[in-house]
Amino acid sequence: MSGRGIDACPACGHRVAAPFFDGGEQPLATLAWPASGAQARELERLPLDFVQCVSCTHVYNRAFDYARVPYTTKPNLMFNRGAAWSTFIGELQARILAGVPARPVVVEIGHGDASFLAGLARMRPGGRYVGFDPHGASGVHGDVELRARLFEPALHVAELKPDLLVARHVLEHFESPVAFLQSIAYHAAGAGREVRAYVEVPCVDRLQPTARTVDLYYEHSSQFTTRSLEAMFAACGARVESLAHAYDGEVLTAFVALRAPDAHLEVAAASARYREATRRSREAIAARLDALARDPGGVAIWGGTGKSAAFMARYGCDAARFPLVVDSDASKVGTFVPGTGQEIRFRDWLKDHPVATVIVPPQWRAADIVREMRREAIVPASVLIEHDGDLVDFLAGAHPYRMPGEAAD
Ligand SMILES: [Zn+2]
């Protein structure tokens, strides 16, 4: 949705791709629905700059901009009614139903006119058949429930606990189908279950052997090869139950099972703990600083850029309460702290204007700075560093940063 084109492979996420097909500029081929010949001829031309992922062979238009495709007003009616296609669909529906419980929950992503989902419901009454399609039909019809919205893995995996997700001729329209499947796998792990999926996409294995070009138009911005579909499944840790070609090799079909490793949930839990701890420490440290600012002994902050500037920005060390910022680096003297605006003074300022407290934001440099202060006969009563949600005394407090050559206690 960025309007900046596509810079990572939609299938595998790789970021190196080779120029593949220069289609110049062409109008939308399917979704524009011009109302007259004149309107048709005047349709806006859009760039076709197809590249091929050098890692997985996926073919995609790196100039594609999702915002240029009017899905919101024009349906994508891709289904033909040919006999071969009907046979394929009927066999597929039977195969799907053979692999799910007697009263299944089947979720279709991008249900369109819902004919596929309705067909499943007719063949196997008593189940729950839920469709998601922001531009599709909506409402409840017997066992079929159609929602005119996007399927959101974070909400709907846990809510529906699907026995099977169906995504037919949908993933090739996503900006990042691999991200979508990764999200499903992650939330499947969160729900403590595997989510099976049936995926069907057009296959462009024949493009290069036949040198045909008609597949490559604007709405078809992302085209799977057998290899790129396999790479996408690998990139989301899917267990591939079956992968086959259908319709004379022009369609790829796959049944996969999605469930991310539990380790991913553990990383997320640890992230949440860090986020919460830092939310709390922001308030706690800001309160400590507020008390220090009122200490008549005075406070200096050592360092005016980088980590020190980040410290001052995060904890609100404004120039009114914390006017004194010093640095060991003479080249920074006379510049100003980004955001808070204190002028940075040379550390020697503290010889003539001693303070009770020096705060050293970069913890791992504190030992060097303490040595420098001793050498320069700068002797504050305490040197404080940020640690574990508080400001602690570097020399007397408990923390993991030590003076080299001095024993840890
Ligand atoms: Zn790729």
Side-chain angles (χ1 to χ4, degrees):
M1 320 269 169
S2 60
R4 287 177 284 110
I6 300 174
D7 57 5
C9 173
C12 79
H14 197 76
R15 284 177 178 260
V16 178
F20 183 77
F21 173 66
D22 178 4
E25 296 203 328
Q26 299 291 346
L28 293 174
T30 302
L31 295 172
W33 305 114
S36 70
Q39 208 183 85
R41 284 186 291 276
E42 285 161 14
L43 283 172
E44 184 183 9
R45 264 57 178 173
L46 301 164
L48 304 181
D49 182 10
F50 282 86
V51 296
Q52 183 165 42
C53 172
V54 296
S55 177
C56 80
T57 75
H58 197 70
V59 173
Y60 60 99
N61 180 5
R62 68 178 162 194
F64 181 74
D65 178 355
Y66 211 87
R68 312 302 278 275
V69 181
Y71 286 110
T72 46
T73 51
K74 309 289 186 189
N76 184 12
L77 300 172
M78 56 75 59
F79 297 103
N80 67 54
R81 309 274 179 205
W85 192 256
S86 298
T87 304
F88 169 71
I89 297 295
E91 288 171 359
L92 172 63
Q93 287 170 324
R95 212 168 143 218
I96 282 175
L97 292 173
V100 296
R103 298 166 75 85
V105 178
V106 178
V107 170
E108 184 171 17
I109 294 160
H111 59 253
D113 65 4
S115 57
F116 189 81
L117 209 52
L120 291 175
R122 266 196 308 278
M123 292 166 76
R124 181 75 67 78
R128 189 174 179 197
Y129 302 88
V130 185
F132 287 82
D133 191 336
H135 316 302
S138 63
V140 177
H141 314 269
D143 295 335
V144 179
E145 177 191 344
L146 303 174
R147 303 186 187 180
R149 60 172 299 176
L150 289 170
F151 180 83
E152 293 182 58
L155 300 176
H156 300 124
V157 168
E159 180 211 329
L160 295 166
K161 299 181 176 57
D163 296 303
L164 187 73
L165 289 176
V166 174
R168 301 185 54 243
H169 301 270
V170 167
L171 294 184
E172 70 273 21
H173 298 290
F174 282 27
E175 273 195 304
S176 179
V178 66
F180 183 66
L181 294 188
Q182 284 171 343
S183 179
I184 291 169
Y186 177 75
H187 292 289
R193 63 205 314 277
E194 206 170 61
V195 171
R196 293 182 68 238
Y198 171 73
V199 168
E200 189 179 313
V201 294
C203 174
V204 294
D205 285 357
R206 271 187 182 155
L207 277 194
Q208 284 155 297
T210 62
R212 79 184 191 200
T213 66
V214 295
D215 307 77
L216 303 174
Y217 53 90
Y218 199 76
E219 295 94 317
H220 280 183
S221 64
S222 171
Q223 299 268 4
F224 284 93
T225 62
T226 305
R227 265 182 70 187
S228 76
L229 188 68
E230 288 171 338
M232 179 174 70
F233 292 148
C236 58
R239 183 166 57 76
V240 179
E241 296 175 1
S242 68
L243 191 151
H245 295 90
Y247 217 71
D248 193 26
E250 299 289 342
V251 169
L252 277 160
T253 69
F255 283 90
V256 298
L258 299 164
R259 178 174 181 167
D262 286 345
H264 292 196
L265 300 176
E266 290 155 18
V267 169
S271 297
R273 288 193 295 275
Y274 177 79
R275 186 178 158 88
E276 176 56 20
T278 55
R279 192 193 61 72
R280 277 186 272 113
S281 72
R282 184 176 192 169
E283 294 163 18
I285 290 175
R288 280 291 307 276
L289 286 165
D290 198 50
L292 277 173
R294 284 182 268 110
D295 177 354
V299 183
I301 296 170
W302 195 292
T305 64
K307 293 181 169 75
S308 295
F311 177 92
M312 285 183 262
R314 172 150 183 87
Y315 299 115
C317 299
D318 54 82
R321 291 181 306 150
F322 298 91
L324 186 50
V325 173
V326 300
D327 206 295
S328 315
D329 182 348
S331 71
K332 291 175 185 162
V333 170
T335 66
F336 295 84
V337 178
T340 49
Q342 293 93 332
E343 182 173 352
I344 301 169
R345 300 176 189 279
F346 191 50
R347 54 117 209 273
D348 283 3
W349 178 268
L350 295 179
K351 295 178 182 174
D352 302 324
H353 307 82
V355 292
T357 304
V358 170
I359 300 171
V360 179
Q363 297 87 346
W364 61 276
R365 282 211 60 226
D368 278 348
I369 289 167
V370 165
R371 251 193 305 275
E372 181 180 345
M373 284 194 277
R374 285 174 180 170
R375 192 179 68 229
E376 300 295 328
I378 297 167
V379 283
S382 63
V383 175
L384 300 180
I385 61 169
E386 177 209 36
H387 174 61
D388 201 18
D390 201 356
L391 294 176
V392 303
D393 191 290
F394 179 69
L395 294 170
H399 60 77
Y401 314 96
R402 285 296 142 208
M403 293 287 287
E406 293 183 16
D409 41 37

